[in-house]
């Protein structure tokens, strides 16, 4: 393994269709043409990191179907190493997304192959040369817990984007270098941001949407303002862009506040374009 960043998480095909209104039970409505987009929190995070120049491998699973090939191609075209993306006997994970004219999404996620990312996949990992492991939660929780333990024992820094909030063993929380949550998730976990550290991680980042992010460390809280953009087009995947870019910079040796400032730039650029992965900027675009 030569990649300095390992991302463990999901890869999904997002099937998006516009509808005038949502069907009620037993009803059929006609929608627009289906748009197929590469998604999944793990894949998004890995792509965001690769686009800004990280050497990154995704640890995950897709099915042996057409969507699986499409997701692999999309990851590889962004420079993500897919050698650790296994082909499962289950179908590729799919998010069925309907969008109504008011812009609201309704989503059904079928995890499929993502549910097969297992303890043995983690046991097969070599952390040689890795600086950072970043995990998100659309794969089995026990696999994430196992991976964080293994990375921490190997001296690899660990980042967890805890979205949605799930209950983690106290030991896993103590093994985290950086816990990333948005402000709603932070409120579910602790009474104030400083108290997030009492759960065990060495540091925490609370993302605050258009207000930026807060970096919480023993030494205090540093607010990282959002970069103002001319027009917010689509915030889908902004959180994954932030996590990916932050991990990329941490793997390069930035300190946490420097990495968060860079991640805020990447995430801001991502909201100016449609989609998640297609909206992620390159290092040259970040400047
Ligand atoms: P999502 O679930 O939509 O991916 P999230 O809730 O995990 O997002 P947010 O806090 O909404 O995460 O956004 C992540 C980061 O993206 C923020 O910390 C900020 O840096 C950037 N960001 C989000 N919205 C905007 C915006 N309107 N303008 C500039 N930057 C933004």
């Amino acid at each position: 393994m030569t990649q300095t960043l390992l991302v463990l998480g999901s890869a999904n095909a997002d099937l998006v269709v516009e509808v005038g209104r949502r069907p009620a039970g037993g009803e059929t409505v006609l929608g627009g043409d289906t748009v197929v987009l590469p998604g999944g929190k793990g894949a998004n995070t890995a792509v965001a990191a690769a686009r800004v120049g990280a050497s990154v491998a995704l640890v995950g699973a897709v099915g042996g179907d057409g969507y699986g090939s499409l997701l692999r191609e999309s990851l590889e075209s962004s420079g993500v190493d897919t050698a650790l993306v296994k082909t499962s006997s289950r179908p590729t994970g799919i998010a069925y997304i309907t969008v109504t004219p008011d812009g609201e999404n309704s989503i059904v996620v079928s995890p499929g192959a993502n549910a097969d990312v297992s303890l043995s996949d983690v046991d097969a990992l070599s952390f040689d040369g890795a600086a950072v492991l970043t995990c998100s939660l659309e794969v089995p929780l026990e696999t994430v817990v196992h991976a964080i333990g293994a990375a921490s024992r190997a001296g690899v820094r660990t980042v967890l984007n805890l979205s949605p909030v799930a209950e983690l063993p106290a030991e896993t929380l103590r093994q985290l270098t950086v816990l990333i949550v948005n402000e709603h998730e932070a409120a579910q976990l602790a009474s104030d941001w400083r108290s997030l550290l009492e759960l065990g991680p060495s540091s925490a980042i609370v993302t605050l949407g258009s207000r930026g992010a807060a970096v919480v460390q023993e030494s205090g809280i540093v607010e990282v303002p959002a970069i103002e953009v001319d027009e917010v087009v689509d915030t889908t995947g902004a959180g994954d862009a932030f996590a990916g870019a932050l991990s990329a910079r941490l793997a390069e040796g930035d300190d946490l506040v420097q990495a968060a400032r860079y991640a805020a730039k990447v995430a801001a650029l991502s909201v100016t374009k449609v989609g998640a992965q297609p909206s992620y900027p390159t290092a040259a675009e970040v400047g």
Side-chain angles (χ1 to χ4, degrees), residues 41 161 163 181-185 205-214 224-229 232 235-242 260 263-265 267-271:
K41 293 186 81 62
N161 190 1
S163 168
V181 284
N182 67 23
E183 55 185 333
H184 312 290
E185 293 149 1
I205 293 188
V206 184
T207 64
L208 305 167
S210 59
R211 287 178 292 119
V224 173
I227 309 299
E228 261 191 60
V229 297
V232 178
T235 62
T236 310
D240 299 334
F242 188 97
K265 281 196 210 171
L269 287 170
S270 83
V271 306

Side-chain angles (χ1 to χ4, degrees), residues 144-154 158 172 175:
V144 172
V145 166
H146 195 55
I148 290 169
S152 152
R153 283 187 292 279
T158 55
T172 304
Q175 288 165 334

Side-chain angles (χ1 to χ4, degrees), residues 241-259:
F242 188 97
L246 180 98
S247 305
R249 293 314 310 171
L250 289 178
E252 284 298 307
D254 276 12
D255 70 36
L256 190 57
V257 172
Q258 277 176 320

